[in-house]
Amino acid sequence: MSKLKVAFQLNDKDVALSVDPNDTLLDVLRGQLNLTGTKKGCGKGECGACTVILDGEAVNACLIPIMKVMGRSVQTIEGIGDEKNLHPLQEAFIDKGAIQCGYCTPGMIMSSKALLDKTKSPTQSEIREAIAGNICRCTGYVKIEEAVQAAAEKMRDS
Amino acid sequence: MKEYQVVGKSVRRLDALEKATGMGTFTTDLALPGMLYAKVLRSPHAHARIVKIDTGRAEQLPGVEAVACFKNTTRVKFNHSATMTFTVPPMEAVLDECIYDDVVRYVGDEVAAVAAVSERIAEEALALIDVEYELLPAVFDPVKAMEPDAPDIHIKKAGCFLCGKNIPGEKIHLALGNVEEGFKESDVIIEETFYLPVQKQAQLETQAALATVSNNGDITVWSTTQTPHPTRQILSHIFQIPQSKIRVLNPPYIGGGFGVRIGLSAKAEPIAVDLAMKTKKPVKIVYDRKEDFTSTDTRHSGIVTVKLGAKKDGTFQALQLKGLLNTGAYCSFGAETIGVLGAMGLSVYRAPHMLYTGNSVYTNITPAGAFRGFGNPQAMFAIETVVDMMAERLGMDAKELRLKNIIKPGDPWILPYSCQSTGLAECIEKGAKEIGWERRGTLNKPGDTLRRGIGMAVGTHVSDAWPFCGDFSNAYVTIQADGSVHVASGVPDMGTGTRTTLGQFAAEVIGVGMEHVSVTIADTQSTPFDIGSHASRTCYVAGQAVMKAATEARGYALAYAANMLNEPLEDLTILDAVVFCRGDRKLTLAEVARHAHLHNEQFIGVGKVIPQNAPPWLAHFAEVEVDTETGQVRLLKMVAAHDVGKAINPVIVEGQLQGGVVQGMGYALSEEVIFDREGRSQHDAYHKYMLLTAEDMPEIKAIIVEAEDPTGPCGAKGVGETGQVATAPAIASAIYDAVGVRMKQLPMTEERVFQALQELQKR
């Protein structure tokens, strides 16, 4: 398969790549760019582990053909905070014990971020709806929901 | 109660930062230069002989570097479960599988594998392998599989592993008193049979391994295993290579486990190692989600019968339990799970007469193995439902009947270790208060179609694997040249917080804060032997080993410091990484360690533990709403009150309980893998397998009760599995309270509840 050029914004930086047009955004993030923070759990849009934010919306990167990303803006877990400057959601997930195996965590945080970017004071059902497509098999969601609430509160206060 | 500095505190998990920022490394994330990708060709048939297999066309495909099948691959028989590395003579291990065989025994069984330069090419090559099958008769029903004319799934050979028609391992027989006498002495006897489904772990990271073979024959395997040391033993056996030539490790994170990779990660490790040997290149295999559903261990489905006899005053006289588990095409943990089912089932209540008989049976479905609870959820759904029925028959409150009959320390019981602690009565009382037990039976008006109910169930579990298999642990603790503390333990952290908890023990014993502690886990090369993360044992057993090692290392440091200070040893103590003496004489631990280093000494402690065992206890309460027009059950509230002994890290403990409860809710209401008449799984994807999501969550309240056990590290007991044990029967009990139907089959889907309601109306 011949390669095609694709250019988009990734974590606020411009990237231009030569890609296999059959690849998904997830293939390119993990395989070509070594951004393995975005996890692969099913490859079929069923588990949410690969959730990234595309032009402000939480999407499953495994369902996005890479050419559809042309000219758009992608945000991944690597782009929202690091150890010196954690995003309030990352901090809340750590502090509330919302992380166990950690495989769903990046996707869960990105789905929650897409919500909090738009909704400053989400209700319980809005939080649950936002992460309903993210499967967590470890926590039972209790501490995740608490973490999202805590992060929302912190983001409102700052 | 003893005051601790680090133990008992919800310190931040050591893995949380890396995981929250996407920097944590999992096996699926790994890549090495020149790495090949493996894909597996799987059987479309439930039982067939491979008459012909031609891999020529696949080998010709550009990018393909090797194709493996039974013809060119070792056929040493093994068992992918870790416990079968620990079968103590005269018992014999059930070794009934090889990487690829010339007979396939379930839909999804391994036929061949390809290593290629990309996953896509490997996948393409699979379609070019020509296989001719001769179909063999298949059997899926565990009862039919034991009938004389059923097809033989495995042939009995030397290394006798069949003890009856299609029965692997042994038939379990546990007895206390004389159960026939007990039933004669009983005023009321209830006997019921229950049907349990196949449940899937559905952990987020699928099975995966990356193997390299160096030109001097050293093999390194990064994988998702929960048990690196036993996995190395299994690989050593399969490839007939000394263990010293093999290193197995986690990278270090695992995306969940729940039992699905105790031993090999299905066949990920041997497939990767074999292809790496064939190609002399690193080979990575990642199961896709469908493979993870169809071709990795499940929870055992089965049939459990309970017969309970009681006096009029509610005293239990006799309890008889019969278990039959469908272990699928290969034994895996079939021989142990059936034992745990009986042993746990008979260890909750006091009765002078008890009997358990049970066995597993082969059929042509996906192998069943270990899954959180390990036979115990199957037992307790049956037993607790019958106890509930007994309470009703006797006209007693179901909570009072339980309080009257639960095991107390010192009671005779079926297990070879003694019960030295129980907080079960406290769990029951606290849980009942939280759910509002006194409201039971008063929540509905006649004619209501949305009916509420409250139910409860209790149980116990283990804190390690003994006596179901051997169990021991070792640890190294080093006070390094800068005064920091390093812990090395062979147990993985599959998300349960092992690494953090073990660090807390070392910090507590030595007298330093967590910022001074680092923990290496799950690596056969840099950690001493341990049987791995399962059986709720990491905190209880590996914790003891770490405490012993830390005590020894601390002793060396103190002796050295006493010498430095020229003070008597007994006057020295360590607090906050400072060695204190009488008056104001002190040295930092770093100063002591540095001085020792410059004088050629390091403080290394070794901890070795052969553990006892200890029972954690649990009481679950559920409040539900049942729609009588549709049969739909909505959970309103779950309460899980657990006696975990000392909670080493309460937030981690709560997380274990909440997660276990939610898996139990799925087991109760929606999770089930069904096989069609050809043995094909109907639930081989997340969108087909009905996991509960965030939107299905009721209020979940975890209550920690701390009846410390004298055998546990700081009094701790196992907590990893308890959340799963009695969730389904508590929900079943609540459904009965709501609508008056006794559900005897899981999951209690709306169809089944609706049907039961229809039958109730007909009566």
Side-chain angles (χ1 to χ4, degrees):
Chain A
M1 180 63 68
S2 59
K3 299 253 175 178
L4 294 178
K5 296 262 185 226
V6 65
F8 57 99
Q9 269 217 328
L10 177 61
N11 296 327
D12 300 324
K13 284 184 187 141
D14 291 326
V15 289
L17 298 168
S18 177
V19 296
D20 179 339
N22 285 326
D23 278 348
T24 64
L25 173 57
L26 181 63
D27 294 330
V28 172
L29 288 174
R30 287 179 61 83
Q32 216 165 325
L33 298 167
N34 295 318
L35 292 176
T36 54
T38 304
K39 299 300 176 197
K40 182 174 181 180
C42 69
K44 296 195 169 162
E46 297 172 0
C47 74
C50 66
T51 305
V52 299
I53 297 178
L54 180 63
D55 289 344
E57 300 289 336
V59 296
N60 289 313
C62 71
L63 295 181
I64 307 291
I66 187 62
M67 298 316 291
K68 290 273 184 194
V69 181
M70 180 76 93
R72 300 171 75 180
S73 167
V74 177
Q75 198 171 42
T76 71
I77 189 73
E78 291 90 349
I80 68 164
D82 61 21
E83 61 282 2
K84 293 201 181 74
N85 188 21
L86 287 171
H87 188 278
L89 273 163
Q90 293 171 314
E91 207 170 346
F93 269 63
I94 293 169
D95 290 343
K96 293 288 177 187
I99 301 169
Q100 288 189 29
C101 87
Y103 207 80
C104 78
T105 305
M108 201 63 90
I109 288 177
M110 296 312 285
S111 286
S112 306
K113 181 173 183 293
L115 170 73
L116 297 189
D117 284 347
K118 289 180 202 161
T119 312
K120 298 290 167 220
S121 303
T123 61
Q124 184 191 57
S125 68
E126 283 171 325
I127 292 173
R128 289 178 168 205
E129 193 186 341
I131 60 168
N134 295 79
I135 294 171
C136 168
R137 193 57 161 159
C138 296
T139 65
Y141 305 99
V142 181
K143 294 188 187 300
I144 290 175
E145 199 179 302
E146 284 171 17
V148 179
Q149 284 288 14
E153 206 170 300
K154 182 153 190 215
M155 286 164 76
R156 282 198 301 274
D157 293 346
S158 60
Chain B
M1 212 177 274
K2 197 175 165 194
E3 276 299 312
Y4 296 105
Q5 301 299 315
V6 187
V7 157
K9 310 274 194 292
S10 294
V11 302
R12 178 182 279 203
R13 287 174 64 125
L14 298 177
D15 54 351
L17 177 71
E18 280 187 298
K19 287 175 175 176
T21 50
M23 295 295 136
T25 306
F26 294 79
T27 305
T28 48
D29 298 332
L30 296 174
L32 287 174
M35 182 176 88
L36 303 174
Y37 300 81
K39 291 302 277 182
V40 177
L41 181 69
R42 297 187 176 278
S43 169
H45 304 296
H47 199 190
R49 182 175 306 281
I50 298 173
V51 181
K52 210 182 111 199
I53 181 161
D54 183 354
T55 57
R57 287 199 301 147
E59 283 157 22
Q60 296 304 310
L61 186 72
V64 170
E65 305 227 352
V67 182
C69 68
F70 75 87
K71 291 203 290 194
N72 64 350
T73 306
T74 171
R75 293 180 76 185
V76 170
K77 296 262 185 185
F78 61 94
N79 185 317
H80 63 270
S81 86
T83 49
M84 285 291 174
T85 63
F86 220 133
T87 313
V88 181
M91 300 258 292
E92 283 189 63
V94 180
L95 307 179
D96 60 1
E97 57 190 322
C98 40
I99 309 177
Y100 317 99
D101 203 352
D102 60 348
V103 174
V104 288
R105 296 180 176 84
Y106 71 98
V107 176
D109 209 350
E110 289 78 12
V111 173
V114 172
V117 295
S118 77
E119 223 169 1
R120 217 167 274 166
I121 292 172
E123 195 110 40
E124 268 177 54
L126 294 184
L128 301 176
I129 300 173
D130 297 310
V131 191
E132 197 181 310
Y133 297 96
E134 173 200 340
L135 296 191
L136 300 172
V139 61
F140 310 111
D141 181 291
V143 176
K144 285 188 185 148
M146 293 188 295
E147 289 170 3
D149 60 343
D152 289 303
I153 296 168
H154 293 273
I155 298 159
K156 187 167 171 171
K157 281 187 189 152
C160 166
F161 63 84
L162 287 171
C163 68
K165 178 78 181 189
N166 282 324
I167 299 173
E170 57 172 338
K171 292 184 182 172
I172 311 290
H173 184 274
L174 303 170
L176 201 67
N178 180 330
V179 81
E180 291 311 320
E181 291 297 315
F183 287 120
K184 276 187 209 145
E185 294 158 16
S186 301
D187 297 316
V188 181
I189 296 170
I190 298 176
E191 183 171 2
E192 293 288 346
T193 295
F194 299 83
Y195 299 87
L196 292 315
V198 171
Q199 188 187 20
K200 198 73 196 86
Q201 295 84 351
Q203 78 294 341
L204 261 280
E205 187 186 28
T206 57
Q207 308 286 23
L210 167 57
T212 66
V213 182
S214 80
N215 59 1
N216 62 8
D218 290 326
I219 296 171
T220 304
V221 189
W222 290 266
S223 88
T224 47
T225 180
Q226 296 174 220
T227 60
H229 290 273
T231 295
R232 176 170 70 159
Q233 289 180 292
I234 300 170
L235 292 173
S236 156
H237 167 74
I238 294 173
F239 296 101
Q240 300 287 301
I241 288 171
Q243 289 183 39
S244 57
K245 301 294 276 181
I246 304 173
R247 178 184 189 186
V248 177
L249 69 164
N250 296 149
Y253 297 123
I254 313 176
F258 316 113
V260 79
R261 30 211 179 200
I262 303 172
L264 301 179
S265 305
K267 286 189 190 163
E269 291 93 345
I271 289 170
V273 168
D274 174 59
L275 288 170
M277 290 166 103
K278 286 185 163 81
T279 60
K280 299 185 176 177
K281 289 182 181 174
V283 174
K284 181 180 178 184
I285 180 167
V286 177
Y287 279 38
D288 67 24
R289 183 53 62 183
K290 183 178 176 183
E291 290 177 295
D292 209 87
F293 269 102
T294 62
S295 307
T296 79
D297 284 0
T298 68
R299 185 186 299 288
H300 286 86
S301 55
I303 302 169
V304 176
T305 299
V306 181
K307 188 173 174 186
L308 176 64
K311 295 276 197 194
K312 273 185 199 135
D313 69 353
T315 308
F316 291 173
Q317 282 304 115
L319 175 57
Q320 186 176 0
L321 190 62
K322 286 182 205 162
L324 175 64
L325 292 180
N326 184 343
T327 203
Y330 298 96
C331 177
S332 183
F333 289 88
E336 294 91 0
T337 313
I338 191 71
V340 173
L341 189 162
M344 291 298 104
L346 297 187
S347 299
V348 178
Y349 295 107
R350 193 171 355 113
H353 308 286
M354 293 195 182
L355 177 63
Y356 172 67
T357 49
N359 64 265
S360 287
V361 60
Y362 287 124
T363 65
N364 295 106
I365 64 169
T366 301
F371 185 176
R372 198 181 213 164
F374 204 82
N376 199 347
Q378 290 94 321
M380 293 320 290
F381 174 61
I383 290 170
E384 284 300 89
T385 302
V386 169
V387 169
D388 232 46
M389 294 169 80
M390 181 61 81
E392 191 188 24
R393 188 82 71 81
L394 292 167
M396 285 181 74
D397 177 81
K399 173 170 81 84
E400 296 308 319
L401 181 64
R402 288 183 170 92
L403 284 169
K404 185 181 177 73
N405 287 290
I406 53 177
I407 294 261
K408 305 277 191 310
D411 282 342
W413 69 349
I414 211 90
L415 297 165
Y417 50 94
S418 61
C419 169
Q420 300 193 49
S421 62
T422 176
L424 182 54
E426 188 182 343
C427 292
I428 292 173
E429 296 296 3
K430 284 191 168 156
K433 187 160 182 237
E434 176 65 33
I435 201 82
W437 181 254
E438 69 289 347
R439 297 179 300 134
R440 192 177 202 229
T442 68
L443 295 163
N444 305 298
K445 297 190 300 292
D448 283 350
T449 57
L450 289 177
R451 301 182 71 83
R452 290 194 172 196
I454 291 174
M456 72 172 288
V458 304
T460 183
H461 202 60
V462 294
S463 297
D464 64 60
W466 178 75
F468 307 101
C469 83
D471 194 320
F472 72 108
S473 184
N474 305 283
Y476 307 141
V477 171
T478 307
I479 299 172
Q480 304 177 110
D482 63 353
S484 65
V485 173
H486 179 252
V487 178
S489 166
V491 292
D493 187 344
M494 57 181 150
T496 58
T498 308
R499 213 162 139 221
T500 309
T501 308
L502 295 183
Q504 285 180 263
F505 284 125
E508 183 69 45
V509 168
I510 292 175
V512 300
M514 283 297 278
E515 67 278 13
H516 297 287
V517 177
S518 63
V519 184
T520 298
I521 49 166
D523 176 3
T524 57
Q525 200 163 78
S526 58
T527 69
F529 182 88
D530 180 280
I531 69 166
S533 292
H534 56 94
S536 303
R537 66 180 291 282
T538 54
C539 174
Y540 179 82
V541 185
Q544 291 180 53
V546 168
M547 283 186 78
K548 275 194 172 178
T551 303
E552 192 180 310
R554 178 179 186 271
Y556 294 140
L558 281 179
Y560 193 92
N563 225 359
M564 275 175 80
L565 291 164
N566 202 17
E567 295 279 356
L569 179 61
E570 54 273 20
D571 289 350
L572 266 57
T573 188
I574 308 175
L575 198 66
D576 270 336
V578 179
V579 181
F580 288 95
C581 186
R582 283 172 309 169
D584 56 359
R585 294 201 69 190
K586 62 184 179 186
L587 285 168
T588 66
L589 192 56
E591 285 168 335
V592 176
R594 176 78 182 152
H595 192 276
H597 173 75
L598 295 177
H599 294 79
N600 308 321
E601 187 164 343
Q602 186 160 49
F603 313 126
I604 306 179
V606 178
K608 301 178 185 179
V609 170
I610 303 169
Q612 288 293 302
N613 205 329
W617 298 95
L618 56 116
H620 283 190
F621 293 81
E623 181 165 357
V624 304
E625 182 182 83
V626 184
D627 185 336
T628 57
E629 292 179 334
T630 63
Q632 191 171 41
V633 178
R634 194 160 72 90
L635 296 173
L636 302 175
K637 182 168 180 172
M638 291 296 307
V639 178
H642 288 230
D643 164 21
V644 301
K646 179 71 185 171
I648 305 305
N649 184 316
V651 164
I652 289 177
V653 169
E654 276 175 20
Q656 286 302 302
L657 299 185
Q658 291 159 348
V661 165
V662 171
Q663 285 183 352
M665 286 157 41
Y667 189 53
L669 296 177
S670 62
E671 293 183 34
E672 180 172 28
V673 175
I674 295 173
F675 298 86
D676 73 8
R677 274 189 283 179
E678 268 76 51
R680 290 174 300 225
S681 168
Q682 302 301 289
H683 300 91
D684 57 5
Y686 273 139
H687 78 281
K688 297 177 187 170
Y689 184 74
M690 300 309 284
L691 290 171
L692 302 179
T693 73
E695 291 189 299
D696 302 312
M697 289 305 112
E699 181 187 352
I700 300 172
K701 176 84 181 168
I703 298 171
I704 296 172
V705 169
E706 296 179 298
E708 295 181 8
D709 197 277
T711 65
C714 303
K717 299 190 271 195
V719 66
E721 296 169 275
T722 52
Q724 170 68 277
V725 170
T727 304
I731 293 169
S733 160
I735 291 172
Y736 182 78
D737 184 45
V739 293
V741 296
R742 285 286 177 202
M743 300 303 295
K744 290 167 194 157
Q745 182 175 8
L746 293 180
M748 299 175 282
T749 57
E750 49 195 282
E751 291 92 329
R752 288 191 183 125
V753 173
F754 183 76
Q755 245 172 20
L757 284 163
Q758 297 281 306
E759 277 158 30
L760 183 72
Q761 274 192 346
K762 275 186 223 153
R763 267 189 262 141

